[in-house]
Amino acid sequence: MLGLLRLAGFGALALILLYVMVSVYSRSVRREKLEDRAAEKISEGTLAAEDRDDYIETGMAAYEHSLRKKLIWGVIVVPTLTVLVLIYITNFM
């Protein structure tokens, strides 16, 4: 039983670490795309240079409520559910 708890603890720690890494990566990619779009809009003249930071912050605020941000939770949920289903199938079927 202690081995199972240790495995669950290290597994949860690994999944949380993976979630944080994927979340940080996704956020940085989104920020970079917003910076590129802001640079394009500034060069086209549709965005003032002093409004660049507001444009990026507005885009990042929209990202915080996006589907992509919610789907990253799948990094924790999918492996956990898979292991639980396998344990159930192995023991009770």
Side-chain angles (χ1 to χ4, degrees), residues 20-38:
V20 168
M21 290 187 324
V22 169
S23 181
V24 168
Y25 174 74
S26 178
R27 187 173 168 78
S28 70
V29 167
R30 181 67 181 152
R31 187 179 232 356
E32 188 174 328
K33 285 183 182 179
L34 285 169
E35 289 172 353
D36 291 344
R37 282 191 204 148

Side-chain angles (χ1 to χ4, degrees), residues 3 12 71 88:
L71 285 176
Y88 178 79

Side-chain angles (χ1 to χ4, degrees), residues 4-71:
L4 177 64
L5 291 175
R6 190 176 320 148
L7 176 65
F10 282 123
L13 185 65
L15 288 175
I16 289 169
L17 181 64
L18 182 64
Y19 169 79
V20 168
M21 290 187 324
V22 169
S23 181
V24 168
Y25 174 74
S26 178
R27 187 173 168 78
S28 70
V29 167
R30 181 67 181 152
R31 187 179 232 356
E32 188 174 328
K33 285 183 182 179
L34 285 169
E35 289 172 353
D36 291 344
R37 282 191 204 148
E40 287 175 12
K41 287 185 177 221
I42 289 171
S43 67
E44 292 172 357
T46 58
L47 181 68
E50 55 271 0
D51 294 334
R52 177 184 181 273
D53 291 336
D54 290 335
Y55 177 80
I56 293 171
E57 290 305 315
T58 302
M60 290 306 293
Y63 170 78
E64 290 298 322
H65 302 291
S66 70
L67 179 63
R68 178 182 299 241
K69 177 84 170 161
K70 293 175 181 84
L71 285 176

Side-chain angles (χ1 to χ4, degrees), residues 56-93:
I56 293 171
E57 290 305 315
T58 302
M60 290 306 293
Y63 170 78
E64 290 298 322
H65 302 291
S66 70
L67 179 63
R68 178 182 299 241
K69 177 84 170 161
K70 293 175 181 84
L71 285 176
I72 295 175
W73 278 101
V75 170
I76 293 175
V77 173
V78 171
T80 303
L81 287 178
T82 303
V83 168
L84 291 175
V85 166
L86 288 173
I87 289 171
Y88 178 79
I89 289 171
T90 303
N91 290 319
F92 301 110
M93 289 190 157

